[in-house]
Amino acid sequence: MKIVIGGGFGVGKTTFIGAISEIDPLTTEATITEAAVGVDLDARGGMLNPDKTTTTVALDFGRLTLDPSIVLYLFGTPGQDRFSFLWDDLVEGAIGAVVLVDTRNIGACFPAIDYFEDRSVPFLIAVNDFSDARVYDRDEIREALGVHDAVPLITCDARLRTSVKDVLVALMDEILLQYDRR
């Protein structure tokens, strides 16, 4: 079963997949260079995480075997608009998606939310817990994102396997719920 992990630039998609994958994840990381200024970075070259030195330029891939007959294939999307042309191929055949959100740059996840809504792909919102981010309650986040109450919204720490597992379990619950509604 194919699951897509989407969200903005630097939100933790690669980390999320790496935390749960039973294999060494396939990543397509490239070094962030000065060419990214004005494209992926602001004019000062700044970003939310100044320690971030690489970026995904195509996809991330991980695998998680739940039992011999059920395997999750995790595909992480690139977060920059200039790589959005890859999304259709990455999402084809997906049963659901996780939209990772960083409350320090909440607008960066709008394209992912819009993409999955427009294609009726079941998804949930996972607010990645960054230690330097202001904490908002769920209603504030939901209002800022403009998502309906029916869209699950949970918090997570993309670095922790147990937290990522909780997100994937919640997503599977949402997929089954939507399947039952049909």
Side-chain angles (χ1 to χ4, degrees), residues 21-98:
S21 181
E22 67 196 19
I23 62 170
D24 288 336
L26 167 70
T27 63
T28 57
E29 295 288 297
T31 301
I32 298 173
T33 66
E34 295 211 10
V37 174
V39 178
D40 298 326
L41 310 176
D42 65 28
R44 297 178 316 275
M47 65 179 101
L48 294 173
N49 180 358
D51 297 328
K52 184 172 174 58
T53 60
T54 63
T55 187
T56 301
V57 296
L59 64 99
D60 296 314
F61 173 78
R63 185 184 71 211
L64 179 62
T65 302
L66 302 179
D67 75 32
S69 66
I70 302 174
V71 178
L72 296 182
Y73 296 99
L74 307 172
F75 287 82
T77 64
Q80 305 91 317
D81 288 340
R82 64 187 166 123
F83 297 120
S84 63
F85 67 92
L86 297 167
W87 279 52
D88 287 339
D89 290 333
L90 292 174
V91 175
E92 185 175 342
I95 63 167
V98 173

Side-chain angles (χ1 to χ4, degrees), residues 115-137:
Y115 186 92
F116 298 125
E117 284 180 337
D118 291 347
R119 287 157 183 81
S120 299
V121 174
F123 72 96
L124 63 71
I125 305 291
V127 179
N128 197 2
D129 181 25
F130 288 92
S131 60
D132 63 339
R134 181 175 161 209
V135 177
Y136 297 90
D137 69 37

Side-chain angles (χ1 to χ4, degrees), residues 159-174:
R159 300 168 297 179
L160 302 177
R161 182 179 181 82
T162 56
S163 187
V164 171
K165 180 186 81 167
D166 292 344
V167 170
L168 294 174
V169 167
L171 177 62
M172 296 307 286
D173 288 343
E174 177 63 14

